[in-house]
Amino acid sequence: MKKILVSAILAGGAISAASAQGAVDAYTLSPTDLRGTARYMSMAGAFTALGGDLSTLSQNPAGIGVYRKSEVGITVDFNMTHSNVSTNVADFKDNKTHVYCNNFGYIGAINLGDNSTLRTFNWGASYNRIASFDRTFHIGEGSGQNYLGPSINTSLSNYIASFTNDPTGVLNAYQDGYNPYIDSDADWLSILAYNSYMINPSNDGGYNGLWRNGQSTGDMGAWVRERGHIDEYNIDFGGNILDCVYWGLGFGITDLTYTQEADYDEKIYNGRVPNAEATSVVVGDSYFNLMNNKHVSGTGYNFKVGVIIKPINEIRIGLAVHTPTYYSLSQRFDASTNFDYSTGYDDMYEDTNLGYFDWKLRSPWRMMVGVAGVIGGRGIISLDYERDAYDALHISDRGVRYNYDPENQDIKNYFQGSNTIRIGAEYRVTPSFSVRAGYSYVTSAVKSDAENGALEIYTSGTNPAFVFDQDTQYITFGAGYRYKAFYADAAYVYKNRKSTYHAFTDYEGVQAPKFGLTDINNNIVLSVGLKF
């Protein structure tokens, strides 16, 4: 058994075995968040039937028709994040603080007169941060280099061995100028594991991992850092028909960026390791650290249409439909390993080439309905329902090189539509001062079979780990002050999101390491603006 450690060089193009985009990536890049002005957030975003706020340009464009005056405003968000991974050993906590500009925009209102059927014609432009990917969490003592995480009952190397198939001997090929990452169709994770001695040929022509069932023991650790956002720039038009029907049309341009750094460690005792000459497998101890880097960026566009109906002064009913966002994306990724074996392979290193490819993503359709009631001219209660069709996610190639039918079938197997309920209330204590509160609940878009391990989950690139969200809750409070043309609003938003971190997929009846992950965000949001 002879191996060659291949130094990474820039790949001349994406290799199909490593570049096929996956359903998990499409899911990760699609969710939106509760973000906008302080008034909007303090009422949990229950504005489908209300309008009259800069955030409605990203939600129900008919909200622009409610305006009778022009407006300009800006919002700042102080976001304190706390992540906690629960294991049978300990809870591992991470804290970060970020400052964002959530929203700024302008509404122009043209009054056409009370004798006109079309009472106002309005237009507006806004920027809105509709999603943030910022999150850091770890399992074990630090950044994936130290090793005090929970015990495991299998190894990532055994999972890689289970799907590695090398009938033409690609992995064992050795010749001058040969680089399997470029010159073969082998899976990049298999190549990386082979060159790191994580998998080794078995007598039956297949491969074995490091773990010996019933005889090995071991521990694992992980560290994940995600960064990025989805920003949306909106241009909306709308109007007021007889103070009864408010309509709006919107066009959005989105800017997406996502970066992930992920480390995964294993320390295995009494496992399968190569002997000192790398000619056979013996019993010994092993350590490896798999490091992955991924960056996705691109732009997209979508359309929105909405209506708000006011049958009587005390009731408003709203409806909005968003087309999918049609993204054109570029992705870059690479991976490397550090590894040590008790037979003499100390502090060695292997890395892949740089993989890169372009692809297209079609995000879910969004449909929302709402009803709002005005109580005594001083109070508002609003209720929204939203449906996001995650099972209709779709990925495709930006050329004709790759057929994504298997990945699109994975989307249908793994994901389902998500439901959101939003309830908001506002009470005007004085003509100038108002208080607000809200609550929102978002159901999981992940099917139970995918979450519980009944399905094998396929990921793209060289990172087999993934996170599936369960449900998300928001509790919100706020207050607002008006003085002539000036307004100032403040909001506090508590977000609690439950998820599960999977080190890799369950396979062949083997349960992979997985742990509960809770993200708690505390947002303090401030908005100021002028109506004129």
Side-chain angles (χ1 to χ4, degrees), residues 171 190 202 208 223 249 260 408 427 490 506 526 532:
L171 299 184
S190 294
S202 61
N208 285 321
W223 175 83
L249 302 171
Q260 182 193 71
N408 287 313
Y427 182 74
D506 295 351
L526 303 174
F532 52 93

Side-chain angles (χ1 to χ4, degrees), residues 184-196:
S184 79
D185 290 330
D187 186 277
W188 280 24
L189 190 54
S190 294
I191 300 170
L192 186 64
Y194 182 84
N195 285 341
S196 303

